[in-house]
Each structure stands twice: as C-alpha cells, then as structure tokens.
Amino acid sequence: MGNTVVMTLLAAALAVGLAPLLLLLVQPWPGGRWALQALWALGRLWPPPLIALLLLFLLQPGIITGALALGLHNLGVLGRLLLETSEHVGDGAEQALLGAGSGPRLALLYGRFSGLARPYLAYGAYRADVILRESVVVGLVGATGLGSQLLEALSAFAFDELLALLLAYALLTLVGEDLSDRLRRRLLAGAPRPGSPGVGTPDRG
Amino acid sequence: MSPAQAAAANGPQVAAPLWVLLPALVLLPLLLVLPGISHGGGWELVGQFASAALQPSLDPLVLRSVLSGLGVTMGIALLGWAGSVVLGVVLGVASSRVVWQTVTGSTALAGWIRRLLALPRSIHELLWGLLLLQLVGLQPAVAVVAIILPFGALVARVISDLLDALPTRSLEALRCAGAPAGPALLTALGPPLLPQLISYSGYRLECALRSATLLGVFGLGGLGTELKLTLQSLAFRELWTGLWALLITMLLLEMLLGRLRQRWAMPGRLALGQTRVGGSGRELLWAGAALLPLLGAVAWASGWIRPACCAGSPCRRCQRPTGGRWRPCPGERSWATRW
C-alpha cells in the first residue's frame, strides 16, 4: 500500500510539473508546440500498461517504472488541458511583457501561467486522485503495488484475500479522494488560510 | 516565497507563477535514480519500435482486424458512456441535497445515497471488469458494465455537487409562488445545469474511449487486446497500424467534442470562461435524436452478430484453430472477434 501511495505521488508530480515545464522549454520555437501536442496525444492514446511494457525494454520493473508510465499517460491529459486553457486566457499580459522586452519564456510564465496557476494546480490535485485509482492498472502489468497483489488473488481464486484487498483499495481511494478534494478547495479558495471554508467550483472535469 | 505569499494574500486570482513549476522538482531525484534501474538491453527494440511508426503494416488482413477491433472498442466506449451518463444523471439527482430538501424537506437520504455510491466509484473500471469476468465469463456486456458502474457513480457525484452548488434564489422564488416541487426544480436548476452537464459528459466520452482501450489490453475485447499482443510479440509494424487508427479516432473525437463545446457555449473544463445558457436547444435535441439510433445500432450489432470464431475452438467456416492468435479468422464477419 505504501508503494501505491509513493507511485501515485511520483506520477502526479511528474504529470503536473512536466506539462508547463515542457511548454516553457519549447516556447521560443514555432514548431515545438506542435511536436509537444503530438507527443501528448500519443501519451493519452497509450494505456498506462502499454507504456509500462515499452518502458520495460529499458528499465527494471518497479515503482519508478510504474510511476513513469502513469505519469506519461496523465501528462498527455494535463498537457492538452493546460494548452487549451492557456489559449482561452487571452494574451494581453503576455504581449505586454514581450513588448516591454522580456524573453518569450518569461513572458509565457508570468503573462499566462500566473493567472492559471491556481486552477491548474487544483486540477492537478484532482488528477492525483485519478492516478491513485489508475495505479492499480500498472500494478497489474507486473510493477509493484496493490495491483499485482490484487491480480494474484484474482487468478488464484483466493476470494477472501481478494475481498480484503479490494476493501483496502477502496478505503485508500476514498481517503485519497477526500485529501485531493481538500487540497483542491484550498487552492481554489484563494489565500491558503487553514480552516477557510471551501468555495471552489465543483466541476471535477 | 514572500512575494508569492503576498500575491496570494491579495486576491484569489493572483498566484505566484512559479508554483506551477514546483512539482517538476521531482525530476531531479528521478534523474539520479533512473541510471540505477535501467538495464540498457532494449535500445535496439526501442529503435525498431520508433522506426516502425513510419511504416505501419498495410496488410489487408491486419487492416481488417484493426478496423474490427476499433469498432468493438468504440462500441464499448459509446455504450458504456451513454449508460453511465443516464445512470449518473438519475443517481446524481437522487443524491442531491437540494432535490431532497425541496421534495421532502430533509436531506438525510441524500447523504446515505452518496455514501452508497462511494463504493462503486472507488474501484477502478478494470477491477470491475476482471471481477465480472470471473463471475459471468467473457461476454460483450462485461466491458460495457465495467465502464458503466464506476463512471455512473462518478458522474452522479459530479452532478449532485453541481446541483448543490447552483444558486437557489430562483428555486425559492418559484416555491414561494406556489409551484410544485418537480416543475420548480426543473425550471430553476435545469437550464444552468445543462451546459455544465454536456461539457462534462463530453469529457467522459473521451475517458470512456481511453478506458475501453485499457480494458482491451486486459483481454476484454477490442483493439487493446491486439495492441498488447502485437507489442508482446514485438510485431511493431502491426502495432503501429492499430496505434495510428486509434490516434486518428481519438483526435477526431476530441476535435468534434471541442467544437460542440464551443458551439453550445460550454464552459471550459477549468471553468475560467463565463457560463452562459446557450440558445441552441433545438440543435441539442437533434443531436440527442441522432445519438439514440446510433446507440441502438451499436447495441444491436454487439448482441446480434454472434462470434464466428471462439478462442480455442476451430473456426466454423475454415476449421482453423484460432486460440491465442491475434489475427481474426479470415472470412469472419463478426466485429467481436474474441467473444
């Protein structure tokens, strides 16, 4: 169970952090954004277990391989969302920064991403919840975590063990969901005061 | 960090831009660990995989198998999505506090239904699929039901959250003017809910396509099965045929949903734009009317066309064994190869 949690956090940090970082890196080149979009489309397309199988060509099975597979898949989802939303924001601030002589990367970071940071990170918290559920999927392929134990119980027809594992898994995801909801509300609620009532939009999409 | 905190304290809209990049710090320890767990034996394989992307197999047999697999995957996604949205709307209304408050005056039951829904929601659709597989065997409905159960509970939660967050002023006004509970709820909460509902269910369709592919990877039918088998047998050119087909389908679907979302003035998924009730109800009705026969046709095809080849038993037409092979039996017309 500890493995599952570590894998989830690692994958979520990878997916949430890499999307803006890669966008910033390719910002000066006109074709870079297209290349990224293609890469992310492939990441969304491949189910995590397939990515894990591909990674197994190069890496040993384990938590990190599973986390990489989950992270790359969710990077595709998050990256597309970030790109779509940053296009909706409007480029007034970015153009102003560019006109004032700042570089393209800084202009993107301060002009667009600063207004997006809270909703984006809040969505990232929701995504972490999704990843926690999905972590069972790469576990089934032979990486570690709750998933491989579940598959073993399932294929051994050990139904009492299976029931215990399922309950543990359900409990874990419900706790994770609650934590991610709290984090999301706090991020959306504005100033991070402890105990402030959550007023975040309930749109979990 | 101090300017960041000052900015955060000033208003909810301003956040330190560098916050976005903080999670990427995890890359540093990861890069340190990666050389330790890499075994470096598979670089040629990865090279073959990448070069096969440009020359996917165009063998008619492979193409036919990929297309039939894609049909199954899309059928599963579509049926699972439609079922989960219907179930989710019904359960979402049934677990909404506002609805219970308006109809009966107490919200206790809403909380209980919510708690009951937590269990199907907390278990991934793949686990549902594998459990159902153990219980009822390999049937077309297994993948669809496996998607409907968790997705339906998830949609129900989102709908009830959305309903409870809507402003209730117009509802109270209608109730005070003497309108009965049902029509008052529908009139006051329906229109503001609709754009959010459609935007979210469009997103769920994308998720359903991903889930259907994933279920296929674990042998529940469709293109995912072929993807996994071709990858495991290192048949990269055949693998890329399936990948390209799936990629085109996914991008077309996302483009279509994005267009529809914009056209009907849907809020974006981060809900940054203002929400507006679109005046395109007629279009919506037409789209719904077009969707129903499509769903019917998919369901009919999955139920009516029986499998021509069952895994392990010889094909009835050509008497060739079919078990374990990734290619469908030639001449078969079922879109459900492995069922």
Side-chain angles (χ1 to χ4, degrees):
Chain A
M1 199 181 258
N3 280 347
T4 307
V5 174
V6 172
M7 191 156 78
T8 304
L9 290 179
L10 205 58
L14 257 182
V16 175
L18 267 185
L21 186 65
L22 287 178
L23 268 182
L24 280 181
L25 284 181
V26 302
Q27 177 65 14
W29 302 293
R33 196 166 274 212
W34 285 104
L36 265 191
Q37 267 177 331
L39 200 70
W40 286 341
L42 283 179
R44 281 201 302 281
L45 177 74
W46 292 345
L50 276 193
I51 303 183
L53 280 179
L54 265 181
L55 286 176
L56 283 182
F57 286 158
L58 298 175
L59 303 173
Q60 291 160 9
I63 303 179
I64 295 182
T65 311
L68 276 177
L70 276 176
L72 290 179
H73 177 70
N74 282 286
L75 173 64
V77 179
L78 271 169
R80 163 161 167 259
L81 183 67
L82 180 65
L83 205 59
E84 264 180 13
T85 331
S86 74
E87 270 157 19
H88 284 165
V89 168
D91 59 350
E94 194 183 351
Q95 293 295 335
L97 280 170
L98 279 175
S102 78
R105 286 185 184 131
L106 277 183
L108 182 70
L109 182 62
Y110 283 85
R112 288 217 179 172
F113 287 172
S114 57
L116 274 178
R118 273 174 188 284
Y120 175 72
L121 286 180
Y123 188 80
Y126 161 69
R127 209 67 218 171
D129 177 29
V130 173
I131 293 177
L132 178 61
R133 279 163 224 267
E134 276 185 349
S135 67
V136 76
V137 166
V138 288
L140 287 173
V141 156
T144 52
L146 216 47
S148 53
Q149 291 173 353
L150 268 168
L151 187 67
E152 276 169 20
L154 202 60
S155 47
F157 299 104
F159 285 112
D160 42 353
E161 194 182 335
L162 181 69
L163 193 64
L165 281 171
L166 268 183
L167 281 180
Y169 169 72
L171 197 68
L172 186 66
T173 51
L174 287 178
V175 170
E177 184 181 276
D178 188 50
L179 286 179
S180 118
D181 275 2
R182 278 168 198 227
L183 184 61
R184 215 185 73 229
R185 284 208 201 102
R186 186 177 287 196
L187 278 167
L188 285 176
R193 285 188 301 273
S196 64
V199 291
T201 58
D203 185 357
R204 292 171 58 80
Chain B
M1 252 348 239
S2 65
Q5 279 164 358
N10 281 337
Q13 290 305 312
V14 190
L18 289 180
W19 285 16
V20 180
L21 296 178
L22 274 183
L25 283 179
V26 77
L27 276 177
L28 295 176
L30 203 61
L31 286 180
L32 285 181
V33 176
L34 270 187
I37 62 163
S38 67
H39 52 71
W43 279 110
E44 312 99 83
L45 283 178
V46 173
Q48 283 173 26
F49 173 77
S51 65
L54 295 178
Q55 37 184 344
S57 166
L58 294 176
D59 188 347
L61 202 64
V62 177
L63 278 181
R64 206 182 312 146
S65 137
V66 160
L67 283 183
S68 74
L70 190 65
V72 177
T73 297
M74 282 170 65
I76 292 173
L78 211 58
L79 287 178
W81 167 76
S84 71
V85 169
V86 171
L87 187 73
V89 169
V90 172
L91 288 177
V93 170
S95 63
S96 155
R97 289 196 191 94
V98 180
V99 172
W100 281 99
Q101 181 71 49
T102 312
V103 175
T104 67
S106 97
T107 61
L109 263 175
W112 279 108
I113 297 181
R114 230 169 239 249
R115 262 165 239 155
L116 272 184
L117 284 177
L119 191 67
R121 199 179 64 222
S122 68
I123 292 178
H124 195 264
E125 58 264 21
L126 174 62
L127 286 179
W128 280 117
L130 292 178
L131 282 175
L132 287 172
L133 200 62
Q134 297 265 359
L135 291 179
V136 299
L138 194 51
Q139 285 182 15
V142 165
V144 176
V145 175
I147 288 184
I148 287 181
L149 282 176
F151 275 34
L154 202 58
V155 173
R157 187 197 145 142
V158 172
I159 301 259
S160 63
D161 279 356
L162 286 174
L163 272 175
D164 288 348
L166 288 176
T168 54
R169 236 178 308 164
S170 46
L171 178 66
E172 281 156 20
L174 280 170
R175 288 293 282 159
C176 289
L185 279 171
L186 196 64
T187 314
L189 302 185
L193 182 68
L194 192 63
Q196 304 187 50
L197 170 66
I198 292 181
S199 171
Y200 184 71
S201 55
Y203 163 65
R204 281 319 317 171
L205 183 56
E206 293 170 19
C207 291
L209 184 64
R210 272 180 237 139
S211 283
T213 318
L214 175 76
L215 288 176
V217 171
F218 287 88
L220 287 167
L223 195 57
T225 314
E226 328 216 330
L227 293 183
K228 186 180 183 191
L229 291 178
T230 43
L231 179 58
Q232 279 182 337
S233 51
L234 305 182
F236 294 130
R237 292 185 60 202
E238 286 76 11
L239 172 65
W240 271 103
T241 315
L243 285 180
W244 283 121
L246 198 57
L247 183 67
I248 292 168
T249 312
M250 191 186 75
L251 289 180
L252 281 180
L253 183 71
E254 286 176 359
M255 213 165 68
L256 177 73
L257 290 175
R259 286 272 167 81
L260 290 181
R261 202 174 277 144
Q262 274 180 357
R263 182 176 184 82
W264 292 330
M266 309 301 172
R269 269 198 259 143
L270 287 185
L272 284 179
Q274 75 271 26
T275 55
R276 179 172 72 79
V277 180
S280 31
R282 194 175 299 171
E283 266 180 32
L284 272 174
L285 280 182
W286 279 115
L291 198 60
L292 276 181
L294 179 66
L295 288 172
V298 172
W300 183 67
S302 70
W304 179 67
I305 303 178
R306 288 287 95 198
C309 302
C310 297
S313 65
C315 172
R316 258 182 283 158
R317 286 188 196 186
C318 55
Q319 297 298 317
R320 276 169 38 180
T322 57
R325 297 189 316 134
W326 63 271
R327 287 178 177 186
C329 184
E332 83 180 285
R333 61 184 278 250
S334 160
W335 63 280
T337 313
R338 254 157 294 279
W339 290 342

